[in-house]
Amino acid sequence: MEIMMLTLTVVALVAVLVISGLHFAWAGRLWWPITDEKRLVRAVAGFPNVDRMPPPAQCLFVAVALCCVALLLLFEILQPKSNQATAIPLLGAGLVFVGRGVVGFTTFWSRVTPEQPFRRLDRRYYSPICLAIGAIILNAALS
């Protein structure tokens, strides 16, 4: 793996672990980075008439799934091109991230998640970050 791609893959790994950590915190009912649950929901979910974070089991599921993606990225970093078994799950994870990133820019998603500040944060940060992580993961899977 060339040094630039290795660096980007490490950055994606760290980003996925940070996002996973947030979901673990939320599964434990620790509201961070916003300590008020209603305000946090408006910042990270954006659905109308929702004022509670998802149940712990849902947050835990996402956190564990993201840890699995991080583990696959770690395998790819430590053993590039040596394990074909990581390519297919990484391809799937990359497509999920890219899909989430693309959806964030659609009018459909704007109608489904109109709440502020989520709408602004999604367009400015969440969707572009998902696109970048997805592109890096797809590159790792296909290299």
Side-chain angles (χ1 to χ4, degrees):
M1 189 179 282
E2 69 181 69
I3 192 72
M4 179 60 104
M5 199 54 228
L6 176 63
T7 303
L8 288 174
T9 305
V10 170
V11 168
L13 168 65
V14 170
V16 169
L17 286 174
V18 167
I19 297 166
S20 176
L22 283 171
H23 284 82
F24 274 119
W26 298 337
R29 313 325 271 167
L30 300 171
W31 309 138
W32 192 87
I34 300 169
T35 57
D36 177 76
E37 184 177 13
K38 283 185 180 185
R39 288 183 53 228
L40 181 62
V41 170
R42 292 178 66 87
V44 301
F47 298 103
N49 304 315
V50 175
D51 58 359
R52 302 207 46 163
M53 288 294 283
Q58 288 179 5
C59 295
L60 189 60
F61 176 82
V62 173
V64 170
L66 290 167
C67 278
C68 291
V69 172
L71 190 58
L72 290 168
L73 286 170
L74 182 61
F75 288 153
E76 188 62 29
I77 290 166
L78 296 176
Q79 298 284 326
K81 299 181 184 179
S82 67
N83 191 350
Q84 295 279 335
T86 62
I88 292 174
L90 276 175
L91 185 63
L95 290 172
V96 168
F97 271 98
V98 168
R100 167 57 185 90
V102 168
V103 165
F105 292 107
T106 65
T107 55
F108 163 77
W109 192 243
S110 294
R111 284 193 309 270
V112 172
T113 59
E115 297 295 322
Q116 292 293 350
F118 176 81
R119 176 71 356 250
R120 177 180 47 80
L121 293 170
D122 190 37
R123 288 268 169 110
R124 189 173 294 163
Y125 301 108
Y126 306 155
S127 290
I129 288 170
C130 284
L131 285 171
I133 291 171
I136 294 166
I137 292 173
L138 287 174
N139 188 287
L142 298 172
S143 65

